[in-house]
Amino acid sequence: MSANFVADVGGTNIRLAQIDNGQLSHIRKYLCSDYATIGEVINKYFAEYPEVTFTSGCLGVACPVTSDTISMTNNSWQFSVKELQADLGLTWLGVINDFTAVAYAVTVLTDEQKVQIGPGQIIENENIAVFGPGTGLGVKHLTPAVQGWLALDGEGGHVDFAAVDEVDIAILQFLTKKFGHASAEEVLSGRGLVHIYQAIAEYRGVDFPLTEAADITESALDGSCDLCVATLAQFSKVLGSFAGNLALNLGTRGGVYIGGGIAPRFTDFIRESGFRNRFEAKGRFRDYVAGIPTFIITEPDHGLIGAMAYLNQNCKG
């Protein structure tokens, strides 16, 4: 029996899966540090299914993909795509950035794998924006092409942070004083939550004892800390403003999707926050963005799903 496979390769873990009738199956997770090379762990996965001949694959990797040589950002793995393909005996191997995989995932997600925030209607075969606050801030746009979908590369997470209200201005001043520059990633990320918390505390002239984003989020969601509630509320507003900017950049009438590891943890909070108001607060272009839908990706396997979508579109093997 022959099959294709996909992998989601992070700095700490690698997750692999087979593609079975268009669905993921046999999902396994391995610790990267247990293996000297990526080829070693993939071959271990192959060996666990001796009845299967793996013919093609796609890897979503947490690092830049700009040449045949891939150097992982947060672990020691380095490999040649061509050499890895030969070593694994594959007829085709695709390697894409992990956030490119997230972007391709949104083209195939079902309604059960995402949550819509606010109004708007998807227009088929129109541009899509995808971004995700996590350790950093990933940004991608997708545009329809002859062969399917084309992901547009860029570093949108590092654009200037655009302040909208008085609290945003306080955050901007805090970040500028701390770093000399205020980028969107320093607000919309795990450390960004901490920066918002510290900036609002300084603005109010109160203490800020917490240092971890998870603790701030937990105290906001259980309502035990007013400063934390204000932090999460402002994070949600900035999230909406940034999403609206992405919608304007490329006319993303196919929707704006939020991935990453942070937003899905408090989807209900975002729904009740000022997120959508800030998304639509674009002056004369309010009506333009009002019809564009916004979603939070809730599917935990979206990285693998995106790698599968990319393979299905591009594999020639």
CSV table of all heavy atoms in Angstrom, one decimal, residues 160-222:
chain,number,residue,atom,x,y,z
A,160,ASP,N,5.1,48.7,11.7
A,160,ASP,CA,4.9,49.6,12.9
A,160,ASP,C,3.6,49.3,13.6
A,160,ASP,O,2.5,49.1,12.9
A,160,ASP,CB,4.9,51.1,12.5
A,160,ASP,CG,6.3,51.5,11.9
A,160,ASP,OD1,7.3,50.8,12.2
A,160,ASP,OD2,6.3,52.5,11.1
A,161,PHE,N,3.6,49.4,14.9
A,161,PHE,CA,2.3,49.3,15.7
A,161,PHE,C,1.6,50.6,15.5
A,161,PHE,O,2.1,51.7,15.7
A,161,PHE,CB,2.7,49.1,17.1
A,161,PHE,CG,1.5,49.3,18.1
A,161,PHE,CD1,0.3,48.7,17.8
A,161,PHE,CD2,1.6,50.1,19.2
A,161,PHE,CE1,-0.8,48.9,18.7
A,161,PHE,CE2,0.6,50.4,20.0
A,161,PHE,CZ,-0.7,49.7,19.8
A,162,ALA,N,0.3,50.5,15.0
A,162,ALA,CA,-0.5,51.7,14.7
A,162,ALA,C,-1.4,51.9,15.9
A,162,ALA,O,-2.4,51.2,16.1
A,162,ALA,CB,-1.3,51.5,13.4
A,163,ALA,N,-1.2,53.0,16.7
A,163,ALA,CA,-2.0,53.3,17.8
A,163,ALA,C,-3.3,54.0,17.3
A,163,ALA,O,-3.3,54.8,16.4
A,163,ALA,CB,-1.3,54.3,18.7
A,164,VAL,N,-4.4,53.6,18.0
A,164,VAL,CA,-5.7,54.1,17.6
A,164,VAL,C,-6.4,55.0,18.7
A,164,VAL,O,-6.9,56.0,18.5
A,164,VAL,CB,-6.7,52.9,17.2
A,164,VAL,CG1,-8.1,53.4,17.0
A,164,VAL,CG2,-6.1,52.2,16.0
A,165,ASP,N,-6.3,54.5,20.0
A,165,ASP,CA,-6.9,55.2,21.1
A,165,ASP,C,-5.9,55.6,22.1
A,165,ASP,O,-4.7,55.4,21.9
A,165,ASP,CB,-8.1,54.4,21.7
A,165,ASP,CG,-7.6,53.1,22.3
A,165,ASP,OD1,-6.4,52.9,22.5
A,165,ASP,OD2,-8.4,52.2,22.6
A,166,GLU,N,-6.3,56.2,23.2
A,166,GLU,CA,-5.4,56.7,24.2
A,166,GLU,C,-4.6,55.6,24.9
A,166,GLU,O,-3.4,55.9,25.1
A,166,GLU,CB,-6.3,57.5,25.3
A,166,GLU,CG,-5.4,58.2,26.3
A,166,GLU,CD,-6.3,59.1,27.2
A,166,GLU,OE1,-7.3,59.6,26.7
A,166,GLU,OE2,-5.9,59.2,28.4
A,167,VAL,N,-5.2,54.5,25.1
A,167,VAL,CA,-4.4,53.4,25.7
A,167,VAL,C,-3.4,52.9,24.7
A,167,VAL,O,-2.2,52.5,25.1
A,167,VAL,CB,-5.3,52.2,26.2
A,167,VAL,CG1,-4.5,51.1,26.7
A,167,VAL,CG2,-6.4,52.7,27.2
A,168,ASP,N,-3.7,52.8,23.4
A,168,ASP,CA,-2.7,52.4,22.4
A,168,ASP,C,-1.6,53.3,22.4
A,168,ASP,O,-0.4,52.9,22.3
A,168,ASP,CB,-3.4,52.4,21.0
A,168,ASP,CG,-4.2,51.2,20.7
A,168,ASP,OD1,-4.2,50.2,21.5
A,168,ASP,OD2,-4.9,51.2,19.7
A,169,ILE,N,-1.8,54.6,22.6
A,169,ILE,CA,-0.8,55.6,22.6
A,169,ILE,C,0.2,55.4,23.8
A,169,ILE,O,1.4,55.5,23.6
A,169,ILE,CB,-1.4,57.0,22.6
A,169,ILE,CG1,-2.1,57.3,21.3
A,169,ILE,CG2,-0.3,58.1,22.9
A,169,ILE,CD1,-2.9,58.6,21.2
A,170,ALA,N,-0.4,55.0,24.9
A,170,ALA,CA,0.4,54.7,26.1
A,170,ALA,C,1.3,53.5,25.8
A,170,ALA,O,2.5,53.4,26.2
A,170,ALA,CB,-0.5,54.5,27.3
A,171,ILE,N,0.7,52.5,25.1
A,171,ILE,CA,1.5,51.3,24.8
A,171,ILE,C,2.6,51.7,23.8
A,171,ILE,O,3.8,51.2,23.9
A,171,ILE,CB,0.6,50.2,24.2
A,171,ILE,CG1,-0.5,49.7,25.2
A,171,ILE,CG2,1.4,49.0,23.6
A,171,ILE,CD1,-1.6,48.9,24.6
A,172,LEU,N,2.3,52.5,22.8
A,172,LEU,CA,3.3,52.9,21.8
A,172,LEU,C,4.4,53.6,22.5
A,172,LEU,O,5.6,53.4,22.2
A,172,LEU,CB,2.6,53.9,20.8
A,172,LEU,CG,3.5,54.5,19.8
A,172,LEU,CD1,4.1,53.5,18.8
A,172,LEU,CD2,2.7,55.6,18.9
A,173,GLN,N,4.1,54.5,23.4
A,173,GLN,CA,5.2,55.3,24.2
A,173,GLN,C,6.0,54.3,25.0
A,173,GLN,O,7.2,54.5,25.1
A,173,GLN,CB,4.5,56.3,25.0
A,173,GLN,CG,3.9,57.5,24.2
A,173,GLN,CD,3.1,58.5,25.0
A,173,GLN,OE1,2.6,58.1,26.1
A,173,GLN,NE2,3.0,59.7,24.5
A,174,PHE,N,5.4,53.4,25.7
A,174,PHE,CA,6.1,52.4,26.5
A,174,PHE,C,7.0,51.6,25.6
A,174,PHE,O,8.2,51.4,26.0
A,174,PHE,CB,5.0,51.4,27.1
A,174,PHE,CG,5.6,50.3,27.9
A,174,PHE,CD1,6.0,50.4,29.2
A,174,PHE,CD2,5.8,49.1,27.3
A,174,PHE,CE1,6.6,49.4,30.0
A,174,PHE,CE2,6.4,48.0,28.0
A,174,PHE,CZ,6.7,48.2,29.3
A,175,LEU,N,6.6,51.1,24.5
A,175,LEU,CA,7.5,50.3,23.6
A,175,LEU,C,8.6,51.1,23.0
A,175,LEU,O,9.7,50.6,22.9
A,175,LEU,CB,6.6,49.6,22.5
A,175,LEU,CG,5.6,48.5,23.0
A,175,LEU,CD1,4.7,48.1,21.8
A,175,LEU,CD2,6.4,47.3,23.5
A,176,THR,N,8.3,52.3,22.6
A,176,THR,CA,9.3,53.1,22.0
A,176,THR,C,10.4,53.5,23.0
A,176,THR,O,11.6,53.5,22.7
A,176,THR,CB,8.7,54.5,21.5
A,176,THR,OG1,7.6,54.2,20.5
A,176,THR,CG2,9.7,55.3,20.8
A,177,LYS,N,10.0,53.7,24.2
A,177,LYS,CA,11.0,54.0,25.3
A,177,LYS,C,11.8,52.7,25.6
A,177,LYS,O,13.0,52.8,25.8
A,177,LYS,CB,10.3,54.4,26.6
A,177,LYS,CG,11.2,54.8,27.7
A,177,LYS,CD,10.5,55.5,28.8
A,177,LYS,CE,9.4,54.6,29.5
A,177,LYS,NZ,8.8,55.2,30.7
A,178,LYS,N,11.2,51.5,25.5
A,178,LYS,CA,11.9,50.3,25.9
A,178,LYS,C,12.8,49.8,24.8
A,178,LYS,O,13.9,49.3,25.0
A,178,LYS,CB,10.8,49.2,26.2
A,178,LYS,CG,11.3,47.9,26.7
A,178,LYS,CD,10.2,47.0,27.1
A,178,LYS,CE,10.7,45.6,27.6
A,178,LYS,NZ,11.3,45.7,28.9
A,179,PHE,N,12.3,49.9,23.5
A,179,PHE,CA,13.0,49.3,22.4
A,179,PHE,C,13.5,50.3,21.3
A,179,PHE,O,14.3,49.9,20.5
A,179,PHE,CB,12.1,48.3,21.7
A,179,PHE,CG,11.7,47.1,22.5
A,179,PHE,CD1,10.3,47.0,22.9
A,179,PHE,CD2,12.6,46.2,23.0
A,179,PHE,CE1,9.9,45.9,23.7
A,179,PHE,CE2,12.2,45.2,23.9
A,179,PHE,CZ,10.8,45.0,24.2
A,180,GLY,N,13.0,51.5,21.4
A,180,GLY,CA,13.3,52.5,20.3
A,180,GLY,C,12.4,52.4,19.1
A,180,GLY,O,12.5,53.2,18.2
A,181,HIS,N,11.6,51.3,19.1
A,181,HIS,CA,10.7,51.1,18.0
A,181,HIS,C,9.6,50.2,18.4
A,181,HIS,O,9.8,49.3,19.3
A,181,HIS,CB,11.4,50.4,16.8
A,181,HIS,CG,10.5,50.0,15.7
A,181,HIS,ND1,10.1,48.7,15.4
A,181,HIS,CD2,9.9,50.8,14.7
A,181,HIS,CE1,9.3,48.7,14.4
A,181,HIS,NE2,9.2,49.9,13.9
A,182,ALA,N,8.4,50.5,18.0
A,182,ALA,CA,7.2,49.7,18.4
A,182,ALA,C,6.7,48.9,17.2
A,182,ALA,O,6.1,49.5,16.3
A,182,ALA,CB,6.1,50.6,19.0
A,183,SER,N,6.9,47.6,17.1
A,183,SER,CA,6.3,46.8,16.0
A,183,SER,C,5.1,46.1,16.5
A,183,SER,O,4.8,46.0,17.7
A,183,SER,CB,7.4,45.8,15.6
A,183,SER,OG,7.5,44.7,16.5
A,184,ALA,N,4.3,45.7,15.5
A,184,ALA,CA,3.1,45.0,15.8
A,184,ALA,C,3.3,43.7,16.6
A,184,ALA,O,2.6,43.4,17.5
A,184,ALA,CB,2.3,44.6,14.5
A,185,GLU,N,4.4,43.0,16.3
A,185,GLU,CA,4.7,41.8,17.0
A,185,GLU,C,5.0,42.0,18.5
A,185,GLU,O,4.7,41.1,19.4
A,185,GLU,CB,6.0,41.1,16.4
A,185,GLU,CG,6.3,39.8,17.1
A,185,GLU,CD,7.4,39.0,16.3
A,185,GLU,OE1,7.1,38.3,15.4
A,185,GLU,OE2,8.6,39.2,16.7
A,186,GLU,N,5.5,43.2,18.9
A,186,GLU,CA,5.7,43.5,20.3
A,186,GLU,C,4.4,43.7,21.1
A,186,GLU,O,4.4,44.0,22.3
A,186,GLU,CB,6.7,44.7,20.5
A,186,GLU,CG,8.1,44.4,19.9
A,186,GLU,CD,8.8,43.2,20.5
A,186,GLU,OE1,8.4,42.8,21.7
A,186,GLU,OE2,9.7,42.7,19.9
A,187,VAL,N,3.3,43.7,20.4
A,187,VAL,CA,2.0,43.9,21.0
A,187,VAL,C,1.1,42.6,20.8
A,187,VAL,O,0.5,42.1,21.8
A,187,VAL,CB,1.2,45.1,20.4
A,187,VAL,CG1,-0.1,45.3,21.1
A,187,VAL,CG2,2.1,46.3,20.5
A,188,LEU,N,1.2,42.0,19.6
A,188,LEU,CA,0.4,40.9,19.3
A,188,LEU,C,1.2,39.6,19.3
A,188,LEU,O,1.6,39.0,18.3
A,188,LEU,CB,-0.3,41.1,17.9
A,188,LEU,CG,-1.3,42.2,17.8
A,188,LEU,CD1,-1.9,42.3,16.4
A,188,LEU,CD2,-2.5,42.0,18.8
A,189,SER,N,1.5,39.2,20.5
A,189,SER,CA,2.3,37.9,20.7
A,189,SER,C,2.2,37.6,22.2
A,189,SER,O,1.6,38.4,23.0
A,189,SER,CB,3.8,38.2,20.3
A,189,SER,OG,4.4,39.2,21.1
A,190,GLY,N,2.9,36.5,22.6
A,190,GLY,CA,2.9,36.2,24.0
A,190,GLY,C,3.6,37.3,24.8
A,190,GLY,O,3.0,37.8,25.8
A,191,ARG,N,4.7,37.7,24.4
A,191,ARG,CA,5.4,38.8,25.1
A,191,ARG,C,4.7,40.1,24.9
A,191,ARG,O,4.7,41.0,25.8
A,191,ARG,CB,6.9,38.9,24.7
A,191,ARG,CG,7.1,39.4,23.2
A,191,ARG,CD,8.5,39.4,22.9
A,191,ARG,NE,8.8,39.9,21.5
A,191,ARG,CZ,8.7,39.2,20.4
A,191,ARG,NH1,8.4,37.9,20.5
A,191,ARG,NH2,9.0,39.7,19.2
A,192,GLY,N,3.9,40.2,23.8
A,192,GLY,CA,3.1,41.4,23.6
A,192,GLY,C,2.0,41.6,24.7
A,192,GLY,O,1.8,42.7,25.1
A,193,LEU,N,1.4,40.5,25.1
A,193,LEU,CA,0.5,40.6,26.2
A,193,LEU,C,1.1,41.1,27.5
A,193,LEU,O,0.5,42.0,28.2
A,193,LEU,CB,-0.1,39.2,26.5
A,193,LEU,CG,-1.4,38.8,25.7
A,193,LEU,CD1,-1.6,37.3,25.9
A,193,LEU,CD2,-2.6,39.5,26.3
A,194,VAL,N,2.3,40.7,27.7
A,194,VAL,CA,3.1,41.2,28.9
A,194,VAL,C,3.3,42.7,28.7
A,194,VAL,O,3.2,43.5,29.7
A,194,VAL,CB,4.4,40.4,29.1
A,194,VAL,CG1,5.1,41.0,30.3
A,194,VAL,CG2,4.0,38.9,29.3
A,195,HIS,N,3.7,43.1,27.5
A,195,HIS,CA,4.0,44.5,27.2
A,195,HIS,C,2.8,45.4,27.5
A,195,HIS,O,2.8,46.5,28.0
A,195,HIS,CB,4.5,44.7,25.8
A,195,HIS,CG,5.9,44.1,25.6
A,195,HIS,ND1,6.3,43.7,24.3
A,195,HIS,CD2,6.9,43.9,26.4
A,195,HIS,CE1,7.5,43.2,24.4
A,195,HIS,NE2,7.9,43.3,25.7
A,196,ILE,N,1.6,44.9,27.0
A,196,ILE,CA,0.4,45.7,27.2
A,196,ILE,C,0.1,45.8,28.7
A,196,ILE,O,-0.3,46.9,29.1
A,196,ILE,CB,-0.8,45.0,26.4
A,196,ILE,CG1,-0.6,45.0,24.9
A,196,ILE,CG2,-2.1,45.6,26.8
A,196,ILE,CD1,-1.6,44.2,24.1
A,197,TYR,N,0.2,44.7,29.4
A,197,TYR,CA,0.0,44.7,30.8
A,197,TYR,C,0.9,45.7,31.5
A,197,TYR,O,0.4,46.5,32.4
A,197,TYR,CB,0.2,43.2,31.3
A,197,TYR,CG,0.3,43.0,32.8
A,197,TYR,CD1,-0.9,42.9,33.5
A,197,TYR,CD2,1.5,42.8,33.5
A,197,TYR,CE1,-0.9,42.7,34.9
A,197,TYR,CE2,1.5,42.6,34.8
A,197,TYR,CZ,0.4,42.5,35.5
A,197,TYR,OH,0.4,42.3,36.9
A,198,GLN,N,2.1,45.7,31.2
A,198,GLN,CA,3.1,46.6,31.8
A,198,GLN,C,2.8,48.1,31.4
A,198,GLN,O,2.9,49.0,32.3
A,198,GLN,CB,4.5,46.2,31.5
A,198,GLN,CG,4.9,44.9,32.0
A,198,GLN,CD,6.3,44.4,31.5
A,198,GLN,OE1,6.8,44.9,30.4
A,198,GLN,NE2,6.9,43.5,32.2
A,199,ALA,N,2.4,48.3,30.2
A,199,ALA,CA,2.2,49.6,29.7
A,199,ALA,C,0.9,50.2,30.3
A,199,ALA,O,0.9,51.4,30.7
A,199,ALA,CB,2.0,49.6,28.2
A,200,ILE,N,-0.1,49.4,30.5
A,200,ILE,CA,-1.4,49.9,31.1
A,200,ILE,C,-1.1,50.2,32.6
A,200,ILE,O,-1.6,51.2,33.1
A,200,ILE,CB,-2.5,48.9,30.9
A,200,ILE,CG1,-2.9,48.8,29.4
A,200,ILE,CG2,-3.7,49.4,31.7
A,200,ILE,CD1,-4.0,47.8,29.1
A,201,ALA,N,-0.3,49.3,33.2
A,201,ALA,CA,0.0,49.5,34.6
A,201,ALA,C,0.7,50.9,34.8
A,201,ALA,O,0.5,51.6,35.7
A,201,ALA,CB,0.8,48.4,35.2
A,202,GLU,N,1.7,51.1,34.0
A,202,GLU,CA,2.5,52.4,34.0
A,202,GLU,C,1.6,53.5,33.8
A,202,GLU,O,1.7,54.6,34.4
A,202,GLU,CB,3.6,52.3,33.0
A,202,GLU,CG,4.6,53.5,33.1
A,202,GLU,CD,5.7,53.3,32.1
A,202,GLU,OE1,6.7,52.5,32.4
A,202,GLU,OE2,5.7,54.0,31.0
A,203,TYR,N,0.7,53.4,32.8
A,203,TYR,CA,-0.3,54.5,32.4
A,203,TYR,C,-1.2,54.8,33.6
A,203,TYR,O,-1.5,55.9,33.9
A,203,TYR,CB,-1.1,54.0,31.2
A,203,TYR,CG,-2.2,54.9,30.8
A,203,TYR,CD1,-1.9,56.1,30.2
A,203,TYR,CD2,-3.5,54.4,30.8
A,203,TYR,CE1,-3.0,57.0,29.8
A,203,TYR,CE2,-4.6,55.3,30.3
A,203,TYR,CZ,-4.3,56.5,29.8
A,203,TYR,OH,-5.3,57.3,29.4
A,204,ARG,N,-1.6,53.7,34.4
A,204,ARG,CA,-2.5,53.9,35.5
A,204,ARG,C,-1.7,54.2,36.8
A,204,ARG,O,-2.3,54.6,37.8
A,204,ARG,CB,-3.3,52.6,35.7
A,204,ARG,CG,-4.3,52.3,34.7
A,204,ARG,CD,-5.1,51.1,35.0
A,204,ARG,NE,-6.2,50.8,34.1
A,204,ARG,CZ,-7.0,49.8,34.2
A,204,ARG,NH1,-6.9,49.0,35.2
A,204,ARG,NH2,-8.0,49.6,33.3
A,205,GLY,N,-0.4,54.0,36.8
A,205,GLY,CA,0.4,54.3,38.0
A,205,GLY,C,0.2,53.2,39.0
A,205,GLY,O,0.2,53.5,40.2
A,206,VAL,N,0.0,51.9,38.6
A,206,VAL,CA,-0.2,50.8,39.6
A,206,VAL,C,0.9,49.8,39.4
A,206,VAL,O,1.7,49.8,38.4
A,206,VAL,CB,-1.6,50.2,39.4
A,206,VAL,CG1,-2.7,51.2,39.6
A,206,VAL,CG2,-1.7,49.6,38.0
A,207,ASP,N,1.0,48.9,40.3
A,207,ASP,CA,2.0,47.8,40.3
A,207,ASP,C,1.6,46.7,39.2
A,207,ASP,O,0.4,46.6,38.9
A,207,ASP,CB,2.2,47.1,41.6
A,207,ASP,CG,2.8,48.1,42.7
A,207,ASP,OD1,3.5,49.0,42.2
A,207,ASP,OD2,2.5,47.9,43.9
A,208,PHE,N,2.6,46.0,38.7
A,208,PHE,CA,2.3,44.9,37.8
A,208,PHE,C,3.1,43.7,38.2
A,208,PHE,O,4.2,43.5,37.6
A,208,PHE,CB,2.5,45.3,36.3
A,208,PHE,CG,3.8,46.1,36.1
A,208,PHE,CD1,5.0,45.4,35.6
A,208,PHE,CD2,3.9,47.4,36.2
A,208,PHE,CE1,6.1,46.1,35.4
A,208,PHE,CE2,5.1,48.1,36.0
A,208,PHE,CZ,6.2,47.4,35.6
A,209,PRO,N,2.6,42.9,39.1
A,209,PRO,CA,3.4,41.8,39.6
A,209,PRO,C,3.6,40.6,38.7
A,209,PRO,O,4.5,39.8,38.9
A,209,PRO,CB,2.6,41.4,40.9
A,209,PRO,CG,1.2,41.8,40.6
A,209,PRO,CD,1.3,43.0,39.8
A,210,LEU,N,2.7,40.4,37.7
A,210,LEU,CA,2.8,39.2,36.8
A,210,LEU,C,3.8,39.4,35.7
A,210,LEU,O,4.0,40.5,35.2
A,210,LEU,CB,1.4,38.9,36.2
A,210,LEU,CG,0.3,38.7,37.2
A,210,LEU,CD1,-1.1,38.4,36.5
A,210,LEU,CD2,0.6,37.5,38.2
A,211,THR,N,4.4,38.3,35.3
A,211,THR,CA,5.5,38.4,34.3
A,211,THR,C,5.2,37.4,33.1
A,211,THR,O,5.9,37.4,32.2
A,211,THR,CB,6.8,38.0,34.9
A,211,THR,OG1,6.8,36.7,35.5
A,211,THR,CG2,7.2,39.1,35.9
A,212,GLU,N,4.2,36.5,33.2
A,212,GLU,CA,3.9,35.5,32.2
A,212,GLU,C,2.6,35.8,31.5
A,212,GLU,O,1.6,36.0,32.2
A,212,GLU,CB,4.0,34.1,32.8
A,212,GLU,CG,5.3,33.7,33.5
A,212,GLU,CD,6.4,33.6,32.5
A,212,GLU,OE1,6.1,33.3,31.3
A,212,GLU,OE2,7.5,33.9,32.8
A,213,ALA,N,2.6,35.6,30.2
A,213,ALA,CA,1.3,35.8,29.5
A,213,ALA,C,0.2,34.9,29.9
A,213,ALA,O,-0.9,35.3,30.0
A,213,ALA,CB,1.6,35.7,28.0
A,214,ALA,N,0.6,33.7,30.2
A,214,ALA,CA,-0.4,32.7,30.6
A,214,ALA,C,-1.1,33.1,31.9
A,214,ALA,O,-2.3,32.9,32.1
A,214,ALA,CB,0.2,31.3,30.8
A,215,ASP,N,-0.4,33.6,32.8
A,215,ASP,CA,-0.9,34.1,34.1
A,215,ASP,C,-1.8,35.3,33.9
A,215,ASP,O,-2.9,35.4,34.6
A,215,ASP,CB,0.2,34.4,35.1
A,215,ASP,CG,1.0,33.2,35.5
A,215,ASP,OD1,0.5,32.1,35.4
A,215,ASP,OD2,2.2,33.4,35.9
A,216,ILE,N,-1.4,36.2,33.0
A,216,ILE,CA,-2.2,37.4,32.8
A,216,ILE,C,-3.6,37.0,32.1
A,216,ILE,O,-4.6,37.4,32.5
A,216,ILE,CB,-1.5,38.3,31.8
A,216,ILE,CG1,-0.2,38.9,32.6
A,216,ILE,CG2,-2.4,39.5,31.4
A,216,ILE,CD1,0.7,39.6,31.6
A,217,THR,N,-3.5,36.1,31.2
A,217,THR,CA,-4.7,35.6,30.5
A,217,THR,C,-5.6,34.9,31.5
A,217,THR,O,-6.8,35.1,31.5
A,217,THR,CB,-4.3,34.6,29.3
A,217,THR,OG1,-3.5,35.3,28.4
A,217,THR,CG2,-5.6,34.2,28.6
A,218,GLU,N,-5.1,34.0,32.3
A,218,GLU,CA,-5.9,33.3,33.3
A,218,GLU,C,-6.6,34.2,34.2
A,218,GLU,O,-7.8,34.1,34.5
A,218,GLU,CB,-5.0,32.3,34.1
A,218,GLU,CG,-5.8,31.5,35.1
A,218,GLU,CD,-4.9,30.5,35.8
A,218,GLU,OE1,-3.7,30.3,35.5
A,218,GLU,OE2,-5.3,29.9,36.8
A,219,SER,N,-5.9,35.2,34.7
A,219,SER,CA,-6.5,36.2,35.7
A,219,SER,C,-7.5,37.1,35.0
A,219,SER,O,-8.4,37.6,35.7
A,219,SER,CB,-5.4,37.0,36.3
A,219,SER,OG,-4.5,36.2,37.1
A,220,ALA,N,-7.3,37.3,33.7
A,220,ALA,CA,-8.3,38.1,33.0
A,220,ALA,C,-9.6,37.3,32.8
A,220,ALA,O,-10.7,37.8,33.0
A,220,ALA,CB,-7.8,38.5,31.6
A,221,LEU,N,-9.5,36.0,32.4
A,221,LEU,CA,-10.6,35.2,32.1
A,221,LEU,C,-11.4,34.8,33.4
A,221,LEU,O,-12.7,34.7,33.3
A,221,LEU,CB,-10.2,33.9,31.4
A,221,LEU,CG,-9.6,34.1,30.0
A,221,LEU,CD1,-9.1,32.8,29.4
A,221,LEU,CD2,-10.6,34.8,29.1
A,222,ASP,N,-10.8,34.7,34.5
A,222,ASP,CA,-11.5,34.4,35.7
A,222,ASP,C,-12.0,35.7,36.5
A,222,ASP,O,-12.6,35.7,37.5
A,222,ASP,CB,-10.8,33.5,36.7
A,222,ASP,CG,-9.5,34.1,37.3
A,222,ASP,OD1,-9.4,35.3,37.3
A,222,ASP,OD2,-8.6,33.3,37.7
